Amino acid sequence: MASAKVDVVGGIKFARNGSYRLPTRTVKPSAETGSCFDTTRVGTRVAAPGSHTVTPSSASTGGFGAASSTSKPRTDKFLRRGMGTGGTHDAGLASTAARRRASGAAAASSAAPPRAGATRRRANPPTSALRRAYERGDLPVAIMQSVTNKLSWKVKVETLDLAHYLPLFCDGLREVEEPYRFIAEEGVYDLLLRSPLPKVLACVPVIVVPLKTALNTRIPSVIKRVLKILQTLVECGNLIGEALVPFYRQLLPVLAIFKNKKKNLGDAMDYRPDDGIGELIDETLEKLEVTGGPDAFVNIKYLVPTYESCIH
């Protein structure tokens, strides 16, 4: 049986008898456009924020000293009577010993251990509670597009449940994508500055974990953001600085790692002084000491040994 003749027009196959067949297309998921109508695709296995890589079980010990592995000497390699130099200087033996020392030092340097990577960036998956709430439409905020963008609150900030929304916005401080970063940073400032002091004081224990998670990402921009939030937090009232003292063990270890990352420009002019993370850490620790009461310096010194008191 002869097959019917087929005409192809615009990718559609038309048969002479009037029937047609649409081409089959494979639908591929498109990438996110960045609009507010997209949802973040979260995999089933996502690393925890600020997680550390597991150290391998077998570590090279060659770089921890000049010593090398030795084996049991053989008796046929021992010097016999008459084989020594008799106390005289032998240029051949001296050059051989020098070559052996050089080869041993090269082997020790080649087996040096890898860098610890304390300042290396950690995992920062897009799984913050703020991102999920914003994509669901659960946040009572909107972005006002202008010369300088602002947050427009749909309700009065003073009437919000601060114990629910403040940890939510603090969890978004580790975001580096827009508009989540802007919403988190501006939202935290609005909640801290426009809420009553008793409410802010009661929320100090519940925001320590989100702040610690953001600091553990080791991302310099995120660390600077959290440091400025801490400075604003302790400036809200005198009691807040004292309430943060028991939580120094969660917040200050990362600051001790980045404290010495300062720019040494010599006699040059620094036109962007706020870019130095070391200077910002010093400023934050000084404010913690001033507002933290009599026990603040002892606890800061325990976690940041290089810190010197600013109170004389």
Side-chain angles (χ1 to χ4, degrees):
M1 181 177 179
S3 60
K5 294 183 179 181
V6 178
D7 296 333
V8 180
V9 179
I12 303 177
K13 297 180 180 180
F14 291 90
R16 294 296 176 85
N17 56 5
S19 62
Y20 61 90
R21 178 181 300 175
L22 294 176
T24 59
R25 297 180 180 179
T26 304
V27 180
K28 297 181 180 180
S30 59
E32 298 180 15
T33 61
S35 68
C36 59
F37 300 101
D38 286 337
T39 56
T40 303
R41 299 181 180 90
V42 181
T44 56
R45 300 180 63 184
V46 180
S51 59
H52 297 255
T53 56
V54 181
T55 305
S57 57
S58 58
S60 175
T61 60
F64 296 97
S68 58
S69 59
T70 59
S71 58
K72 186 177 180 180
R74 297 170 52 182
T75 56
D76 57 348
K77 300 296 182 181
F78 291 165
L79 290 177
R80 306 293 182 181
R81 183 177 179 180
M83 294 177 60
T85 59
T88 60
H89 178 69
D90 190 341
L93 293 178
S95 60
T96 302
R99 287 196 300 269
R100 289 179 179 177
R101 287 194 299 269
S103 61
S109 60
S110 62
R115 295 179 63 88
T119 59
R120 186 174 59 247
R121 296 191 177 193
R122 309 300 186 195
N124 187 22
T127 56
S128 64
L130 177 80
R131 181 186 287 248
R132 296 194 299 266
Y134 179 74
E135 292 175 348
R136 291 195 306 262
D138 295 343
L139 297 180
V141 295
I143 302 178
M144 294 179 58
Q145 302 289 344
S146 61
V147 179
T148 56
N149 296 339
K150 297 180 180 179
L151 279 187
S152 174
W153 293 86
K154 302 177 183 178
V155 297
K156 292 184 178 180
V157 179
E158 296 79 6
T159 61
L160 289 174
D161 184 8
L162 199 64
H164 171 71
Y165 284 103
L166 187 57
L168 190 68
F169 280 87
C170 287
D171 190 61
L173 290 176
R174 62 182 179 86
E175 291 285 350
V176 294
E177 299 180 6
E178 300 292 348
Y180 312 105
R181 180 213 58 83
F182 173 78
I183 294 175
E185 188 172 3
E186 294 298 323
V188 172
Y189 281 121
D190 289 347
L191 291 174
L192 291 179
L193 299 177
R194 298 168 60 179
S195 299
L197 177 60
K199 285 187 176 182
V200 178
L201 183 61
C203 294
V204 170
V206 296
I207 66 175
V208 171
V209 173
L211 295 179
K212 174 188 175 183
T213 303
L215 291 173
N216 283 339
T217 58
R218 306 291 207 277
I219 302 177
S221 61
V222 175
I223 295 177
K224 296 175 185 177
R225 195 178 310 143
V226 175
L227 292 177
K228 294 178 182 179
I229 293 295
L230 284 175
Q231 294 183 16
T232 305
L233 178 63
V234 297
E235 291 174 353
C236 293
N238 296 328
L239 299 177
I240 296 180
E242 297 181 8
L244 280 175
V245 174
F247 304 104
Y248 284 174
R249 290 176 178 267
Q250 286 76 29
L251 300 175
L252 299 189
V254 177
L255 305 189
I257 298 174
F258 288 87
K259 186 178 182 298
N260 294 329
K261 292 185 72 64
K262 302 177 181 179
K263 295 182 292 184
N264 185 7
L265 302 179
D267 57 350
M269 178 65 70
D270 188 4
Y271 296 97
R272 303 176 65 182
D274 57 339
D275 287 351
I277 188 173
E279 291 81 357
L280 190 58
I281 290 176
D282 290 339
E283 182 181 351
T284 304
L285 293 177
E286 290 176 359
K287 289 190 177 182
L288 290 177
E289 182 188 1
V290 171
T291 61
D295 298 332
F297 173 71
V298 177
N299 289 272
I300 295 175
K301 188 69 173 179
Y302 177 76
L303 296 167
V304 188
T306 58
Y307 175 74
E308 297 296 337
S309 177
C310 64
I311 301 177
H312 301 287

